[in-house]
Amino acid sequence: MGGQERAPVKSVAELVPPGLEDTPGQEALGQRFGADAALLASHLSPPQVPGSERATRLWAFYTAYATAAARHPPQPEARRAFREALEGQGFAELRDAHTGEDGVTRGLWVMEARTPAEARTRAAQVRLEPPPEVRHSEEAAARPAEQPLVQAAGARAATAFHGPVMPALRPRDEASSSEDAQQAGDAPRRRGTNRRLGARMLWNVLHRFRAGPDDGAVAEGQWDRVTFGALLVLLAIALAVTALVSL
């Protein structure tokens, strides 16, 4: 939005000038190739396409001139003219993926064909590629742009299969949550009592003042002695009553 739009990439066939076969001699074709390639450099090697595609486009453009040169008889000066044009357009940095030879050597090999058909056959056997460092830099530049897409796709897949992932509570967060829950649970009880001493609360107060285990054992022993004494008194009273009745 608001930026300057790039021109669409033209096909190589649209860039090849017509009437190459009418050019007089191989030397003139070599010189014309150098001039035309320099003039159309931005169209032959647009920056928005990968380096391998730029090399392929440049080679297809050169093939049209090499095929037209095969229509003419060989000229000693033609080889030098084509070599200078190929070196000026960076063919020395390109390498044939099949033979490993540089682009200048493979370009002269195609230009030296005896017929246009042979030139096209030779050109089809060549696949030029940019240097390895150029390919590696382009792959490294494209990789960071792909990672967010892969991560987003993985996150969507994980959500679809496992549902949303909740963050784990830390010990401090768990303690805070338990305290909040306890306070929330105590709130209804405080509201229910309405600040009055209920039966349950009275029982709790009395339970706090209850004797401990040791005091209970002492009291139980005293009650046993009192009970035993009471039984003896009752027994004595019964004997006394029996004696009085027998008189």
Side-chain angles (χ1 to χ4, degrees):
M1 298 296 295
Q4 185 178 3
E5 296 183 359
R6 294 181 177 179
V9 178
K10 296 183 179 181
S11 63
V12 178
E14 296 176 341
L15 301 176
V16 174
L20 289 180
E21 60 277 1
D22 297 334
T23 304
Q26 291 184 342
E27 183 180 6
L29 281 169
Q31 296 174 352
R32 185 175 180 181
F33 166 70
D36 293 345
L39 181 64
L40 301 174
S42 60
H43 297 282
L44 291 174
S45 301
Q48 62 266 34
V49 300
S52 298
E53 185 176 350
R54 292 198 296 268
T56 301
R57 291 171 58 86
L58 191 58
W59 178 253
F61 186 76
Y62 168 76
T63 300
Y65 291 82
T67 302
R71 297 177 178 271
H72 303 278
Q75 294 178 349
E77 299 82 1
R79 185 179 179 87
R80 184 177 64 238
F82 270 96
R83 176 183 290 276
E84 293 177 355
L86 291 170
E87 292 177 350
Q89 298 305 315
F91 277 75
E93 300 177 358
L94 306 177
R95 289 293 183 273
D96 185 3
H98 302 296
T99 63
E101 296 178 342
D102 60 272
V104 176
T105 303
R106 301 302 283 170
L108 294 177
W109 175 65
V110 174
M111 186 270 298
E112 293 173 350
R114 297 180 179 179
T115 61
E118 183 181 357
R120 285 189 291 267
T121 302
R122 291 187 178 187
Q125 300 176 11
V126 179
R127 184 165 66 89
L128 296 183
E129 291 184 350
E133 57 270 16
V134 174
R135 296 196 303 270
H136 294 337
S137 61
E138 291 178 350
E139 294 175 358
R143 194 174 298 114
E146 297 174 355
Q147 285 181 353
L149 299 178
V150 175
Q151 293 176 356
R156 289 194 297 268
T159 304
F161 283 100
H162 303 290
V165 180
M166 300 299 295
L169 292 177
R170 294 174 294 184
R172 186 174 180 180
D173 297 336
E174 294 177 354
S176 302
S177 300
S178 61
E179 292 177 359
D180 296 341
Q182 184 177 1
Q183 293 177 0
D186 293 341
R189 290 197 293 270
R190 290 196 298 268
R191 291 193 299 268
T193 57
N194 197 16
R195 298 181 181 179
R196 289 182 297 179
L197 187 62
R200 183 179 297 276
M201 297 181 65
L202 179 60
W203 174 261
N204 292 336
V205 173
L206 295 176
H207 181 70
R208 291 181 180 179
F209 289 98
R210 188 177 60 181
D214 296 338
D215 296 339
V218 174
E220 185 177 357
Q222 293 176 356
W223 277 108
D224 292 341
R225 290 192 295 272
V226 172
T227 303
F228 182 72
L231 291 176
L232 292 178
V233 172
L234 292 176
L235 181 59
I237 293 173
L239 293 175
V241 174
T242 303
L244 294 175
V245 173
S246 62
L247 292 179

